[in-house]
Amino acid sequence: MKQLGERIKTAIKKSRFTQKGTAKLLGISENGLSNYITGKRIPDIILIYHFCELCNCSIEWLVSGENIKTNVIAPEDKMVVYPFDISRQEYLLIMQLREMPEVKIIVNNIIEVVKQSR
């Protein structure tokens, strides 16, 4: 399953995400994501689905390496970060802001408020 892990790593890189950010959005630990990348573990289909939505790649490509033409990342593509619909550019900006110490606390507080309001 090492090839699956290599495709996971490729999708993250093409999406311009970090492994840390990807793991956070998927609700898994960085170590868990690392285990999928190295082939130590195989993600379940639900995680594969959410990963493909996040990284804008097809399930077919991720699992088999086929259908690569659909694995195109465009900066303005819409993406769903449950329960929000934001552009990839907005997502990348949020991720950059979250890494800034002075903004990180504010953004994390906003996220907690949103989670509590559901």
Side-chain angles (χ1 to χ4, degrees), residues 35-89:
N35 285 338
Y36 298 136
I37 291 171
T38 60
K40 292 179 183 173
R41 296 193 66 213
I42 300 172
D44 64 33
I45 190 64
I46 295 170
L47 186 62
I48 288 173
Y49 171 81
H50 289 296
F51 178 83
C52 290
E53 285 289 309
L54 180 66
C55 291
N56 195 29
C57 65
S58 72
I59 293 173
E60 295 86 3
W61 174 80
L62 187 67
V63 173
S64 69
E66 300 294 320
N67 202 18
I68 296 172
K69 66 182 176 184
T70 63
N71 189 27
V72 176
I73 308 299
E76 292 300 323
D77 281 351
K78 283 291 191 177
M79 61 187 294
V80 176
V81 179
Y82 186 79
F84 308 103
D85 184 21
I86 64 174
S87 72
R88 184 165 308 284
Q89 187 175 18

